[in-house]
Amino acid sequence: MQSYEHHIVHESLFKRHPYLQGPFSSDIDPNQITVAIFDRTIPKFREVLSQPDFDFDKCRDALKTLNELVHHQETMDKMIDHELLEISSNLLGSASQEVREQAAILLSSFAISKRARELFNYAFPRLQQLLEDKVLEVREAVASVFHKLSINDDGCQRIVDSNCVQYMILSFIGHSKDGKTLKKEDGQYLIHLLEAFANLTFSDKGIQPLLGTGAVLNFNKIISESYVNDILEEQHKQKIKELCLRVLGNISINHDGKQECIDDRVILSAWKYLGSDSYEKRLSASLVLMSCTIHLNGKQQAVWFEEAKGEPKIIQEIIRNYPDLKKNLKRTLINIAELPEGFLKITHELSDKADLLDEIFGPSAVKPLHNLLPKLSDYVDPLKIENKDIGQKYMRYVKSLAFIIKKYKDDAAQVARDDTINFSEKLAPFLNPETQLQKETVLCLTEVCRIDPYNRHVLNNFLKKYGELPIKRSNGQVTTIKREISQYTDLLNFAQDSQIFT
């Protein structure tokens, strides 16, 4: 039998001889052990990252490991308990770009935690400085921190209170104001900042720090000038334009922001996105138009801009895209219509879309439709209206008038009585059967004369002067206006019942 030496093993260390030799010591070199497991993991990383002269590579690796663990809520809470947010904030000042980057990435994960956001005052001064870090990856990570913080209202408030917005917009402008400063590789960095601006500008407190900084002008240049298309990759430039429009839309709601958008003529750039393939771009563009046209200067910009002579391109584009963005664009058209010239141009464009004209303006459309018709004095001969004019303009106006008056009756007739001058005089020439508008004209005149003695008088004067004059029809027959409308007894009776003015 093989001999062996018997050893007694005990739970107490001092009785484990010869497996453990004394003397024992608790002194451990921190550089020798850098990884721990289970409950010891987070405290160990805290010890590692707290060493002032720790090796950069090991510090980077420790931060990478923490970035893999932080997504578990319980683990994040432990990290906060062990002051890893404060430690990470200090590491933003590291001489190693990789350490700065990983520290910023860890902070971006902390930014989604309400508990962590309450401690972010430690990080803001360093984050502000790193917005201009010479290493792109670091700047992207820092911009991502602001993006994540801005997702929550309290995060937005902390960004504003720390004066970070001013640093963010200065950095954004510095990297995007023209073709010389914009770099192809900066696309994602700019997107992170714009995402933050989009969230910040949901409140006036977030908008105010952007005003007077050149931000609106810079956003407008990005959506209107070609240098963005020439430099950035497709995926980046489209997202950047979308976000710039969203931020401009948010800013335009603010009273002072609205004025700055008008001063920088944002309307003249935003309207072109109403026909974009992107719904987000279309929606933001409609918000800009809706907000800016509240002010007089905004209405004028929308009405007076013409790409081709006599063509109100902005109004036409609004109408073309109305069904898709009904809520914002209806308000925009109503705003523009407060300018008399705008009301006329809108009504002209909608005169062949009576349903849409009714939906937006209702019975009030009677006034501009009437104003678009020629005065009696404008005709060489009221009984000889050029067919070209009838086909292109007047027919549309009269038919839309008939549609509105037929639907609203007394309400529309009251608008004609109160808001127009000599309504009957402008409509009466269209009693001529050659205009092919006789039925529509009779309908309009009957409803208005029913409630207004003055328009009866005006119609009666017209019939006395022109009612018996011969009209040669296209088929060679000769007729008169009185003969043609003899079947419309109500209208004739109203015209004859005008003694009050004789």
Side-chain angles (χ1 to χ4, degrees):
M1 180 180 291
Q2 184 177 358
S3 62
Y4 62 91
E5 185 176 357
H6 183 78
H7 295 282
I8 299 175
V9 178
H10 197 276
E11 289 182 358
S12 300
L13 288 176
F14 73 90
K15 293 185 178 181
R16 289 188 181 180
H17 177 78
Y19 294 112
L20 291 174
Q21 302 288 342
F24 303 107
S25 172
S26 62
D27 294 332
I28 300 175
D29 184 352
N31 287 303
Q32 290 180 336
I33 302 175
T34 60
V35 177
I37 62 171
F38 305 131
D39 290 342
R40 178 65 181 145
T41 305
I42 303 305
K44 183 59 194 176
F45 280 124
R46 182 187 185 286
E47 293 176 16
V48 169
L49 297 173
S50 298
Q51 300 302 314
D53 55 350
F54 202 72
D55 181 77
F56 288 145
D57 290 340
K58 292 181 179 178
C59 187
R60 174 205 62 203
D61 292 342
L63 286 168
K64 283 186 175 181
T65 305
L66 287 172
N67 278 320
E68 293 172 358
L69 298 173
V70 72
H71 302 292
H72 192 284
Q73 184 60 52
E74 185 177 346
T75 304
M76 181 186 290
D77 288 337
K78 288 182 180 179
M79 292 182 185
I80 296 171
D81 291 338
H82 287 83
E83 301 179 338
L84 281 171
L85 189 150
E86 294 90 330
I87 294 170
S88 299
S89 301
N90 292 331
L91 290 173
L92 292 173
S94 172
S96 166
Q97 68 181 57
E98 291 182 315
V99 172
R100 296 198 302 275
E101 178 188 359
Q102 293 300 320
I105 292 173
L106 184 57
L107 286 172
S108 70
S109 297
F110 280 130
I112 65 174
S113 166
K114 185 177 186 304
R115 184 180 170 208
R117 290 194 297 274
E118 295 173 354
L119 305 173
F120 250 83
N121 288 340
Y122 288 100
F124 285 131
R126 295 280 193 188
L127 291 170
Q128 293 171 0
Q129 296 172 9
L130 293 185
L131 283 167
E132 288 301 315
D133 195 282
K134 62 182 180 180
V135 180
L136 173 62
E137 290 78 9
V138 176
R139 285 192 285 111
E140 284 185 357
V142 170
S144 177
V145 175
F146 287 116
H147 174 199
K148 298 271 184 77
L149 278 171
S150 69
I151 293 173
N152 296 277
D153 290 343
D154 67 305
C156 288
Q157 187 63 53
R158 294 179 193 283
I159 293 174
V160 172
D161 291 343
S162 64
N163 296 319
C164 285
V165 180
Q166 291 89 331
Y167 289 88
M168 293 163 65
I169 192 57
L170 287 176
S171 180
F172 181 87
I173 294 174
H175 288 274
S176 65
K177 63 183 177 182
D178 53 40
K180 294 180 179 179
T181 57
L182 181 63
K183 306 298 180 186
K184 180 179 180 180
E185 58 271 16
D186 280 339
Q188 190 57 53
Y189 170 67
L190 297 175
I191 288 173
H192 281 316
L193 287 179
L194 281 168
E195 293 278 14
F197 291 142
N199 293 329
L200 285 163
T201 51
F202 274 120
S203 72
D204 289 338
K205 289 183 178 179
I207 292 173
Q208 207 62 42
L210 294 176
L211 301 181
T213 63
V216 171
L217 179 63
N218 198 71
F219 295 143
N220 194 31
K221 287 174 64 177
I222 289 174
I223 66 173
S224 62
E225 297 186 10
S226 61
Y227 71 92
V228 175
N229 292 333
D230 298 337
I231 296 173
L232 293 178
E233 295 180 1
E234 184 68 24
Q235 57 180 347
H236 289 156
K237 68 186 179 187
Q238 295 304 330
K239 187 64 176 178
I240 285 172
K241 287 183 178 182
E242 175 190 314
L243 290 169
C244 281
L245 278 167
R246 189 187 305 172
V247 175
L248 286 169
N250 292 344
I251 290 175
S252 69
I253 298 175
N254 175 271
H255 178 75
D256 295 328
K258 190 191 319 295
Q259 188 59 55
E260 194 163 326
C261 287
I262 293 171
D263 292 341
D264 290 333
R265 301 170 69 84
V266 174
I267 286 177
L268 304 188
S269 304
W271 75 271
K272 297 177 182 178
Y273 290 88
L274 289 175
S276 170
D277 293 335
S278 165
Y279 177 75
E280 290 297 328
K281 289 180 183 176
R282 298 198 301 273
L283 181 63
S284 297
S286 70
L287 180 58
V288 170
L289 290 169
M290 179 182 70
S291 300
C292 290
T293 52
I294 292 174
H295 286 188
L296 175 61
N297 290 342
K299 302 181 203 296
Q300 292 171 337
Q301 288 177 13
V303 171
W304 293 346
F305 176 79
E306 297 177 352
E307 279 197 339
K309 188 176 181 181
E311 296 291 327
K313 297 298 291 185
I314 295 179
I315 291 175
Q316 289 174 344
E317 192 68 11
I318 291 172
I319 293 171
R320 188 176 296 116
N321 292 278
Y322 178 84
D324 186 39
L325 300 161
K326 185 176 294 187
K327 184 176 180 180
N328 287 354
L329 294 186
K330 180 177 181 179
R331 186 68 255 175
T332 301
L333 290 171
I334 292 173
N335 291 342
I336 295 173
E338 292 173 359
L339 193 69
E341 184 181 356
F343 205 175
L344 286 176
K345 288 187 175 183
I346 293 170
T347 304
H348 169 73
E349 296 297 328
L350 291 175
S351 58
D352 59 345
K353 304 175 180 65
D355 289 341
L356 193 55
L357 185 66
D358 169 39
E359 179 182 335
I360 298 172
F361 299 116
S364 64
V366 168
K367 179 180 178 179
L369 284 169
H370 173 264
N371 290 343
L372 287 167
L373 293 171
K375 298 177 183 177
L376 201 60
S377 59
D378 293 337
Y379 296 103
V380 176
D381 182 353
L383 300 182
K384 293 181 180 179
I385 303 174
E386 293 292 333
N387 288 334
K388 180 180 177 182
D389 290 336
I390 294 173
Q392 293 183 353
K393 296 184 295 185
Y394 303 154
M395 184 175 288
R396 292 162 52 182
Y397 304 154
V398 175
K399 285 189 173 183
S400 291
L401 261 175
F403 178 90
I404 298 293
I405 291 177
K406 182 178 180 181
K407 179 175 181 178
Y408 292 100
K409 296 188 181 299
D410 287 352
D411 290 340
Q414 189 168 346
V415 173
R417 182 189 66 187
D418 298 339
D419 297 339
T420 68
I421 299 174
N422 294 339
F423 181 87
S424 294
E425 185 181 81
K426 279 193 172 185
L427 267 292
F430 298 97
L431 290 171
N432 183 341
E434 287 297 290
T435 66
Q436 300 177 17
L437 294 169
Q438 192 180 84
K439 289 183 179 180
E440 290 84 355
T441 304
V442 168
L443 186 153
C444 294
L445 290 173
T446 301
E447 292 300 329
V448 174
C449 289
R450 188 188 307 278
I451 69 167
D452 187 13
Y454 176 74
N455 271 296
R456 297 177 195 169
H457 167 70
V458 172
L459 177 60
N460 188 48
N461 287 345
F462 178 88
L463 292 176
K464 285 180 179 180
K465 187 173 184 179
Y466 299 102
E468 300 290 351
L469 295 180
I471 299 173
K472 189 173 182 179
R473 300 292 304 271
S474 57
N475 59 8
Q477 295 180 353
V478 177
T479 186
T480 65
I481 288 181
K482 279 192 173 181
R483 184 183 305 165
E484 288 294 324
I485 66 170
S486 59
Q487 58 184 309
Y488 303 108
T489 54
D490 285 348
L491 182 61
L492 284 175
N493 291 336
F494 289 143
Q496 294 167 3
D497 184 22
S498 57
Q499 297 87 345
I500 186 172
F501 293 101
T502 58

